Amino acid sequence: MNSISCQQLEHKLSPFGRKLISSVAFAGSTSSFPEQPPIQFLTKSRNIIHSKPEISHAHLIKTQNLEGNTHAANSVLHNYGEYSRMDNAAKVLEEMPKQNSVSWNLMISNSNKALLYQDSWRLFCRMHMLGFDMNMYTYGSILSACGALTSTLWGEQVYGLVMKNGFFSDGYVRCGMIELFSRSCRFSDALRVFYDYLCDNVVCWNAIISGAVKNREYWVALDIFRLMWGEFLKPNEFTIPSVLNACVSLLELQFGKMVHGAAIKCGLESDVFVGTSIVDLYAKCGFMDEAFRELMQMPVSNVVSWTAMLNGFVQNDDPISAVQIFGEMRNKGIEINNYTVTCVLAACANPTMAKEAIQIHSWIYKTGYYQDSVVQTSFINMYSKIGDVALSELVFAEAENLEHLSLWSNMISVLAQNSDSDKSIHLFRRIFQEDLKPDKFCCSSILGVVDCLDLGRQIHSYILKLGLISNLNVSSSLFTMYSKCGSIEESYIIFELIEDKDNVSWASMIAGFVEHGFSDRAVELFREMPVEEIVPDEMTLTAVLNACSSLQTLKSGKEIHGFILRRGVGELHIVNGAIVNMYTKCGDLVSARSFFDMIPLKDKFSCSSMITGYAQRGHVEDTLQLFKQMLITDLDSSSFTISSVLGVIALSNRSRIGIQVHAHCIKMGSQSEASTGSSVVTMYSKCGSIDDCCKAFKEILTPDLVSWTAMIVSYAQNGKGGDALQVYESMRNSGIQPDSVTFVGVLSACSHAGLVEEGYFFLNSMMKDYGIEPGYRHYACMVDLLSRSGRLTEAERFICDMPIKPDALIWGTLLAACKLHDEVELGKLVAKKIIELEPSEVGAYVSLSNIWASLGQWDEVLKIRGSLRGTGISKEPGWSSL
């Protein structure tokens, strides 16, 4: 009976229909189900084969007995699945009187195709509950769904059934489990599944290699490929690109060449994906000639191949060749996509490529890529690196689709990098007005320019609300913001909360402690790094060496120097300079020079540190000799270095050498800088050339507070008090606020010019107008002013009325005036005050003795000399070099 039915069915099928067979085998698989061979259903015309599933369903209802024919019903399920009509497929499944495993496998597979992975899981659970037999296709499909959902819990439950039912050796099933663990960042578990049962299924090997690359376990990927090759398994067109991707990430060219050879041996070099990966390997490793040769030898190349070549030139800093490749693509009619456009825009992100950037901008605008958000983001970055932020802002203003956060985050980043905090913050606030949520990139960028603690705390609250605090870049930017705003304790709290701190985090926190005067805590924090198994890098070592320099703790500095030598990082230039700076700041110039002489390639920072160390301790000859060597070796001298050299020249009163250094500044164009110009002014002032001081001051383009103060002090020290006060008024008119040092110069000018009333005015002004509390030097200037004017009694009363306790310097100023004006009684009183404050002060004894000697009271002189000998203090005899 059955054979008759089959013969009748076969008789109904036309020869044409037999060629148009629709299989009900597992979707996406090249194999059929082992339980039952697929039954093929033929249609009468090509139009029905390619018609909508509803029409095919109606046709099969009309021609086949679907209620009694499970295979025909499965073909309907398959057809609905091809068109993603899962609701109709579900109804067909529910109405089937005789469902089988194929029916449920089709439904699970079709749900995967429609990206309905939750439905796939529900179907699997129901299938398991109803007791249908499950095979390799069932487990493979549901593991794919678990992988898409990154649900390792469900996947492990499925794999338990796999082990129980004996399908663990099937490559398709194991491949699904490997991919699930790889996607869930549990690569060690993926490796365990792979090594549980080594098989000759290339798909499994591809899955574990691809998983290793995705999890950045590049060396593992290469080792597995080596093992695969040793097992005489032939890699395919999917294996080679994954392995080459690992080689690119490691810049492992030699291994990549071996893989290239394997591809040639297996006949895969002609594959466009393999060929593209080979081009990318040579390009990323910097061998552009080999990459171009491989590109030209490819039988078929596409946009990906050419873009890989273009991107290689960009990464190797050859923008001209990148633009030429782009032009060649256009000439050959190669398809150009938005990634190609972003690569060529990256090539033009250079001030020397401004002309080409405008030309390519015009082409992009003409071809319609301009409104692509990814391309507009590249435009924003390109124009910022060219140096035209205004054009970056114009591109952002012309963007029509502002729903892409990348546009906002890149524009905020560009403004932040150009220190435009107002526009950055305004743009950040606009994101909320557009009903968007700033992401981790926006938050990291804006925190870099926030200098208001209240705003920073608001952004901190938003970060906590969105759960972005776990991101390393965001948390690092957050504690750096607190540090910059002066809240070092809050900064340290955020730092402590970071779970996976990197070297940048440690270096930033250590540098923050140093910047805010907590260098001791910086050193303590550095000592915690070995406990956390963190190896300090160049930035961290430099920061902690700066801490030792600030503390002037030579012992700790030497310990860190020894650590650097053991770790073998002593060849890094920045660290070398920091070591020299540490020794000089700690006063050990011998060790500093010894280490400096051992540096093979001396840089600007190490030379500057050594010169500054010599200059600060008055080693004139060593300073000048080293500065001369620095110039001979064509090392750029910074403003700080030149200032140190000019300072030591001023101390030694060598005007001829000072003029030569000034000429060097003019040659380098640094005389117009405030720091260098101020040092030139001070140098000429110390040498007594006030006219040259004025000329040097006029050469400064934008004088700062230090420059104005240097000019005021120069006039004061050279007896031109009136001119000094005129400079002070000019400084105030320019909008610069004076500081305590400025008022020392002003009061000194009043003292030299005898301007008593003006002196009182400026002393009151510094407190009333600027909130500066006078110090010992200010009061000493006032005492000197009153003493020079002969108002000694008033000077004594002024000292007694001072809000701070007078020291020996202030009384000594009055004592010198008493000697000048022959005020014996007052002199005796002042001398006793000095002796009470500093019993070992020889000058007070000598001054008092001189006062008595000038009056011819030699008995008193002998008494003072006897008192001096009684204290055990000896006066050094005077001497002359003439």
Side-chain angles (χ1 to χ4, degrees):
M1 185 69 181
N2 290 336
S3 62
I4 293 173
S5 299
C6 290
Q7 290 174 1
Q8 290 175 348
L9 178 62
E10 186 175 357
H11 179 69
K12 293 180 181 180
L13 302 179
S14 65
F16 176 75
R18 292 190 180 95
K19 296 181 181 179
L20 300 173
I21 297 173
S22 175
S23 174
V24 295
F26 178 78
S29 173
T30 57
S31 304
S32 58
F33 291 106
E35 292 89 340
Q36 52 213 10
I39 295 180
Q40 298 146 352
F41 294 91
L42 310 179
T43 55
K44 293 183 178 180
S45 68
R46 183 182 299 268
N47 292 332
I48 294 177
I49 288 292
H50 295 287
S51 63
K52 292 183 178 180
E54 291 84 355
I55 298 175
S56 301
H57 188 184
H59 176 74
L60 287 175
I61 292 174
K62 182 177 179 180
T63 59
Q64 307 292 333
N65 180 17
L66 289 183
E67 292 184 0
N69 194 332
T70 304
H71 296 264
N74 284 342
S75 70
V76 175
L77 290 177
H78 174 72
N79 203 12
Y80 276 123
E82 289 294 316
Y83 285 86
S84 298
R85 305 288 178 81
M86 297 308 299
D87 292 340
N88 293 346
K91 291 178 182 178
V92 172
L93 180 68
E94 291 298 326
E95 294 171 359
M96 289 176 63
K98 295 181 180 180
Q99 302 167 349
N100 61 10
S101 297
V102 177
S103 311
W104 290 92
N105 285 347
L106 281 170
M107 284 298 296
I108 294 172
S109 174
N110 291 334
S111 297
N112 283 354
K113 287 182 180 179
L115 308 180
L116 302 173
Y117 302 112
Q118 293 282 358
D119 291 346
S120 299
W121 177 252
R122 283 192 288 268
L123 287 165
F124 173 78
C125 292
R126 190 176 172 194
M127 180 182 179
H128 178 67
M129 182 182 65
L130 294 174
F132 285 98
D133 291 335
M134 299 181 180
N135 56 22
M136 65 191 79
Y137 303 110
T138 314
Y139 294 126
S141 296
I142 195 59
L143 285 173
S144 296
C146 292
L149 295 170
T150 62
S151 176
T152 54
L153 178 61
W154 292 351
E156 287 173 340
Q157 293 174 0
V158 173
Y159 199 63
L161 291 174
V162 169
M163 299 293 289
K164 179 180 178 181
N165 296 328
F167 288 98
F168 65 90
S169 62
D170 183 78
Y172 181 51
V173 175
R174 293 174 63 248
C175 179
M177 199 63 197
I178 289 170
E179 289 180 348
L180 167 62
F181 280 132
S182 297
R183 289 183 180 182
S184 304
C185 300
R186 290 176 55 179
F187 183 68
S188 58
D189 292 325
L191 273 177
R192 180 175 52 81
V193 172
F194 175 74
Y195 284 116
D196 276 348
Y197 184 86
L198 286 177
C199 64
D200 57 357
N201 191 328
V202 179
V203 177
C204 277
W205 291 82
N206 288 347
I208 194 66
I209 291 174
S210 175
V213 174
K214 290 176 182 176
N215 285 271
R216 299 185 180 182
E217 298 285 350
Y218 304 117
W219 283 113
V220 176
L222 300 186
D223 289 339
I224 292 174
F225 177 76
R226 191 184 287 113
L227 178 62
M228 179 183 183
W229 191 256
E231 294 288 333
F232 302 104
L233 289 176
K234 183 179 179 181
N236 59 18
E237 65 274 14
F238 300 104
T239 317
I240 300 298
S242 292
V243 179
L244 288 175
N245 192 2
C247 294
V248 168
S249 300
L250 295 169
L251 295 179
E252 188 64 33
L253 182 61
Q254 294 303 318
F255 200 103
K257 287 182 177 181
M258 186 190 78
V259 179
H260 184 186
I264 296 174
K265 188 173 182 180
C266 296
L268 299 172
E269 192 179 22
S270 60
D271 182 84
V272 65
F273 298 107
V274 174
T276 301
S277 299
I278 293 171
V279 171
D280 189 55
L281 167 72
Y282 287 115
K284 293 284 179 62
C285 291
F287 289 81
M288 300 308 300
D289 293 339
E290 288 82 349
F292 188 75
R293 182 169 60 250
E294 292 297 327
L295 178 66
M296 293 295 101
Q297 290 178 356
M298 289 178 63
V300 178
S301 58
N302 59 13
V303 60
V304 181
S305 315
W306 284 84
T307 304
M309 190 72 210
L310 194 158
N311 189 45
F313 280 122
V314 174
Q315 294 192 355
N316 285 277
D317 296 325
D318 190 354
I320 296 175
S321 298
V323 173
Q324 290 175 348
I325 285 289
F326 180 72
E328 191 68 18
M329 289 178 69
R330 293 175 55 196
N331 294 336
K332 289 182 177 291
I334 304 294
E335 176 192 2
I336 293 176
N337 58 24
N338 58 351
Y339 184 68
T340 313
V341 173
T342 58
C343 283
V344 75
L345 289 176
C348 295
N350 190 303
T352 61
M353 301 293 289
K355 180 180 178 182
E356 289 79 1
I358 299 298
Q359 293 174 349
I360 292 175
H361 189 164
S362 301
W363 179 86
I364 291 172
Y365 193 87
K366 181 180 178 181
T367 52
Y369 282 106
Y370 185 68
Q371 286 304 326
D372 186 283
S373 59
V374 178
V375 173
Q376 286 176 330
T377 300
S378 298
F379 268 122
I380 291 171
N381 291 329
M382 178 193 73
Y383 282 125
S384 70
K385 291 181 179 178
I386 286 176
D388 199 335
V389 180
L391 286 178
S392 295
E393 295 182 78
L394 181 62
V395 171
F396 180 80
E398 292 176 348
E400 296 178 357
N401 188 1
L402 291 175
E403 294 180 358
H404 292 274
L405 272 173
S406 60
L407 281 170
W408 296 88
S409 58
N410 278 273
M411 192 66 244
I412 290 173
S413 176
V414 167
L415 293 172
Q417 289 173 3
N418 285 271
S419 302
D420 196 335
S421 58
D422 293 337
K423 288 184 178 179
S424 300
I425 295 170
H426 173 71
L427 209 59
F428 185 76
R429 286 171 173 161
R430 270 190 60 194
I431 296 179
F432 294 96
Q433 297 172 2
E434 298 288 337
D435 292 329
L436 297 174
K437 294 182 178 179
D439 58 5
K440 56 187 178 182
F441 302 108
C442 295
C443 293
S444 297
S445 298
I446 198 65
L447 286 170
V449 296
V450 170
D451 53 4
C452 173
L453 197 56
D454 290 338
L455 178 60
R457 284 172 175 158
Q458 293 176 28
I459 297 173
H460 185 184
S461 300
Y462 173 79
I463 289 169
L464 290 173
K465 182 179 178 181
L466 261 68
L468 299 175
I469 193 67
S470 59
N471 181 268
L472 180 60
N473 291 330
V474 174
S475 54
S476 297
S477 300
L478 186 61
F479 81 73
T480 303
M481 179 276 297
Y482 277 118
S483 175
K484 184 173 61 177
C485 293
S487 183
I488 194 67
E489 292 301 332
E490 289 182 274
S491 175
Y492 184 65
I493 291 172
I494 301 298
F495 173 79
E496 285 286 279
L497 293 175
I498 301 175
E499 294 183 1
D500 298 322
K501 305 177 185 69
D502 60 0
N503 268 302
V504 177
S505 304
W506 288 91
S508 299
M509 193 67 247
I510 291 172
F513 276 137
V514 176
E515 183 180 353
H516 289 87
F518 297 96
S519 297
D520 52 342
R521 296 183 64 180
V523 176
E524 291 175 6
L525 189 62
F526 175 77
R527 298 187 189 281
E528 294 178 12
M529 294 184 71
V531 179
E532 300 290 336
E533 297 182 353
I534 302 292
V535 179
D537 63 355
E538 187 177 14
M539 293 173 56
T540 313
L541 292 169
T542 302
V544 74
L545 283 169
N546 290 336
C548 294
S549 300
S550 178
L551 291 171
Q552 296 185 5
T553 54
L554 185 60
K555 181 181 178 182
S556 297
K558 286 184 175 181
E559 290 174 354
I560 295 170
H561 186 190
F563 172 83
I564 292 171
L565 293 176
R566 289 195 304 273
R567 288 288 180 180
V569 294
E571 296 180 0
L572 301 174
H573 297 311
I574 298 179
V575 173
N576 288 337
I579 293 172
V580 174
N581 185 58
M582 180 272 297
Y583 279 122
T584 57
K585 290 290 178 63
C586 293
D588 190 351
L589 295 180
V590 176
S591 297
R593 186 56 188 261
S594 177
F595 179 77
F596 177 80
D597 290 337
M598 290 190 297
I599 299 175
L601 295 174
K602 299 173 178 60
D603 62 353
K604 179 173 65 176
F605 181 64
S606 58
C607 289
S608 177
S609 299
M610 197 69 241
I611 289 172
T612 304
Y614 278 138
Q616 289 177 346
R617 283 162 178 79
H619 295 256
V620 180
E621 297 300 332
D622 291 325
T623 302
L624 298 178
Q625 182 183 9
L626 193 56
F627 181 67
K628 180 179 178 181
Q629 292 177 2
M630 188 176 181
L631 297 180
I632 293 173
T633 54
D634 291 330
L635 281 175
D636 293 333
S637 51
S638 65
S639 300
F640 188 72
T641 308
I642 293 176
S643 298
S644 299
V645 174
L646 288 170
V648 79
I649 291 172
L651 290 175
S652 61
N653 198 17
R654 299 188 181 186
S655 59
R656 184 177 60 83
I657 299 178
I659 293 172
Q660 294 177 9
V661 176
H662 186 193
H664 171 74
C665 295
I666 296 173
K667 181 181 177 181
M668 302 302 296
S670 62
Q671 86 284 358
S672 59
E673 297 177 9
S675 58
T676 305
S678 302
S679 299
V680 174
V681 169
T682 302
M683 183 270 297
Y684 280 124
S685 172
K686 295 287 186 180
C687 295
S689 180
I690 193 64
D691 292 336
D692 290 326
C693 281
C694 297
K695 294 177 182 177
F697 181 78
K698 291 178 181 179
E699 290 177 351
I700 303 173
L701 292 178
T702 308
D704 60 2
L705 176 61
V706 177
S707 307
W708 287 102
T709 302
M711 198 64 226
I712 292 169
V713 172
S714 296
Y715 273 130
Q717 290 178 346
N718 285 273
K720 295 181 178 292
D723 293 332
L725 297 182
Q726 288 180 5
V727 173
Y728 171 75
E729 290 301 323
S730 299
M731 182 190 77
R732 289 184 58 204
N733 294 334
S734 67
I736 295 178
Q737 299 289 323
D739 63 357
S740 61
V741 180
T742 309
F743 278 107
V744 170
V746 171
L747 292 173
S748 178
C750 293
S751 175
H752 285 82
L755 305 173
V756 177
E757 299 304 324
E758 287 81 355
Y760 277 117
F761 170 78
F762 287 118
L763 184 67
N764 293 326
S765 175
M766 67 182 294
M767 292 184 287
K768 180 180 178 181
D769 299 332
Y770 302 103
I772 302 173
E773 290 294 330
Y776 285 106
R777 297 184 65 189
H778 303 100
Y779 289 121
C781 288
M782 281 301 300
V783 171
D784 185 54
L785 169 59
L786 294 171
S787 299
R788 284 174 182 265
S789 302
R791 299 160 71 165
L792 301 182
T793 306
E794 185 178 349
E796 181 195 8
R797 187 168 60 251
F798 178 84
I799 295 174
C800 294
D801 294 339
M802 282 170 47
I804 59 176
K805 184 179 180 181
D807 62 357
L809 173 64
I810 294 176
W811 286 113
T813 304
L814 181 57
L815 179 59
C818 290
K819 175 189 173 183
L820 181 66
H821 293 281
D822 296 330
E823 286 285 345
V824 180
E825 295 300 324
L826 182 59
K828 289 167 57 178
L829 178 64
V830 172
K832 291 179 180 179
K833 292 281 188 181
I834 298 174
I835 294 171
E836 289 175 1
L837 289 172
E838 295 186 15
S840 60
E841 175 60 37
V842 179
Y845 292 96
V846 174
S847 297
L848 185 58
S849 174
N850 291 337
I851 291 174
W852 287 117
S854 64
L855 297 176
Q857 301 291 331
W858 298 108
D859 294 337
E860 297 295 332
V861 172
L862 292 175
K863 290 180 181 179
I864 295 298
R865 298 282 182 175
S867 301
L868 182 63
R869 285 192 295 270
T871 60
I873 304 171
S874 61
K875 175 185 177 297
E876 294 184 5
W879 57 275
S880 174
S881 58
L882 297 178

